[in-house]
Amino acid sequence: MEKIVLPPRFPETICGVYGEEGQKWLEQLGLLLQVCEHRWALEIQYETPYTLSYNYVTPVVLPGGAPAVLKLGVPGKENRTEIEALSMFAGEGMVRLLDADPVQGIMLLEKVMPGVTLDAVGQEEDQTRAVVKVMGRLHSTFSGSTLFPTVADWFEGLGRMREHFHGGTGPLPEKLV
């Protein structure tokens, strides 16, 4: 196995958000990546992970040469919710989930192109148009799942975070929050 390259501040963010559980997950990341390599016969691009806040996301090559993306996160409700949502929408208006292991917090995703962030779209008005266009494609019957957080849940979480960090955002960038 090649040496794992972690994005800048990634370990601090994981430990800041998840504490001891995050530290244990970081220590097991190499083993988890090996499990993924064997399970899906992947070629992991260890030297080029994407820079994200609290998931390890890296390009991979599937058997036959097709590009994909491997996403690993500390297992929990957020991973399970994301996996359920991606399964429910089946690639319509969002990335397609190829396979997943919710217990270990692992997702194998299609690689979408061109792969730019919303920040790169341009002005706020252009960003809003892009979001509305995608939202228009997200027509699906709600599964009735209790995994999906409500808007109130999100705001309660933000409030707890602000309280915990005395009005700050801790390891998360202020702009993101």
Side-chain angles (χ1 to χ4, degrees):
M1 182 175 87
E2 294 184 40
K3 182 180 184 315
I4 301 171
V5 176
L6 297 177
R9 298 185 38 96
F10 185 73
E12 297 93 318
T13 300
I14 291 296
C15 292
V17 172
Y18 297 103
E20 188 176 314
E21 181 184 5
Q23 180 62 45
K24 289 178 184 175
W25 180 82
L26 282 169
E27 291 167 5
Q28 295 297 311
L29 184 56
L31 180 59
L32 288 171
L33 289 166
Q34 286 179 338
V35 166
C36 294
E37 283 179 310
H38 294 303
R39 177 176 179 173
W40 292 299
L42 302 173
E43 180 185 323
I44 297 176
Q45 308 298 299
Y46 287 101
E47 69 281 356
T48 56
Y50 300 108
T51 301
L52 297 175
S53 53
Y54 54 96
N55 289 290
Y56 179 82
V57 184
T58 191
V60 298
V61 179
L62 300 173
V69 172
L70 186 62
K71 181 176 184 178
L72 293 87
V74 177
K77 185 177 179 180
E78 286 194 19
N79 289 103
R80 291 188 305 274
T81 302
E82 183 175 357
I83 290 168
E84 185 166 332
L86 292 172
S87 296
M88 186 174 78
F89 287 107
E92 190 58 42
M94 63 182 62
V95 67
R96 188 167 53 96
L97 179 69
L98 303 176
D99 202 356
D101 184 337
V103 173
Q104 295 193 74
I106 300 169
M107 290 173 251
L108 182 61
L109 306 164
E110 76 173 322
K111 185 171 185 175
V112 292
M113 299 305 278
V116 298
T117 64
L118 196 55
D119 284 344
V121 171
Q123 300 298 319
E124 187 173 332
E125 189 174 317
D126 297 328
Q127 294 171 352
T128 302
R129 276 194 203 96
V131 168
V132 169
K133 183 177 179 183
V134 170
M135 289 174 71
R137 294 176 51 201
L138 296 177
H139 293 288
S140 180
T141 303
F142 178 64
S143 71
S145 171
T146 58
L147 281 178
F148 296 117
T150 64
V151 172
D153 294 334
W154 278 98
F155 283 111
E156 282 179 26
L158 288 173
R160 286 191 308 273
M161 179 194 61
R162 290 282 195 183
E163 186 177 313
H164 179 78
F165 292 108
H166 310 289
T169 61
L172 301 176
E174 180 75 31
K175 184 178 177 183
L176 176 66
V177 175

